[in-house]
Amino acid sequence: QSTSGDLCAVAAPVADDGDGTFSGNGVLAAGAGLTPSYSSEACPGYTAPFDGAAAVDQVWTFTAPAAGSWTVHLSSESDAQLYAFSDAACSACIAVVDEASGFGDEQLPLEAGSAGEVFYLVVDGFDGDVGAYSLHVTSCPPECEGAK
């Protein structure tokens, strides 16, 4: 039996904060029942020399309440990668981000074609990194962050 969030089949949903944002918190650690299940190598446009194949990862689902642009914000104590899949098998990677070197924040834009569209979000340690993180999804695309 898999730990919640260990695989796409048992992904944990991000919580509706009631104010138009959705969030989740986790810790990438081997003792948390998580395994190194996914890799960003299959994601389009990913060219980094290392990936998360050797690191534990955690999977979340985000169900868009409306069509439009959404941004996934990842804040991590370690160097983490964030990628999104469009299917429950986590075989169709649609986006990846790993721009922050070391500790930092990542932003991954998503486009929902309709209300109810489900995205599978994978938080993965870059090159084996582990640590605590927080995940937030907002309806604001990255370019409007300063206008909030």
Side-chain angles (χ1 to χ4, degrees), residues 68-74 82 97 99 106-111 136-148:
S69 298
W70 297 88
T71 301
V72 184
H73 306 267
L74 173 65
L82 175 63
V97 66
E99 296 173 359
E106 305 284 3
Q107 292 186 5
L108 182 69
L110 298 174
E111 190 66 36
H136 298 281
V137 183
T138 65
S139 62
C140 181
E143 53 273 5
C144 79
E145 281 303 306
K148 278 185 134 179

Side-chain angles (χ1 to χ4, degrees), residues 15-38:
D16 185 344
D17 295 338
D19 61 358
T21 63
F22 301 81
S23 61
N25 296 295
V27 176
L28 295 176
L34 303 174
T35 58
S37 305
Y38 302 101

Side-chain angles (χ1 to χ4, degrees), residues 33-126:
L34 303 174
T35 58
S37 305
Y38 302 101
S39 169
S40 57
E41 285 184 324
C43 296
Y46 188 72
T47 60
F50 300 101
D51 70 8
V56 296
D57 41 51
Q58 189 162 20
V59 185
W60 297 84
T61 57
F62 167 63
T63 303
S69 298
W70 297 88
T71 301
V72 184
H73 306 267
L74 173 65
S75 179
S76 177
E77 291 180 354
S78 62
D79 189 2
Q81 301 176 77
L82 175 63
Y83 34 105
F85 292 92
S86 61
D87 64 320
C90 284
S91 61
C93 185
I94 56 172
V96 61
V97 66
D98 185 21
E99 296 173 359
S101 178
F103 306 101
D105 297 332
E106 305 284 3
Q107 292 186 5
L108 182 69
L110 298 174
E111 190 66 36
S114 62
E117 186 170 349
V118 178
F119 297 93
Y120 295 82
L121 309 172
V122 177
V123 179
D124 200 353
F126 180 78

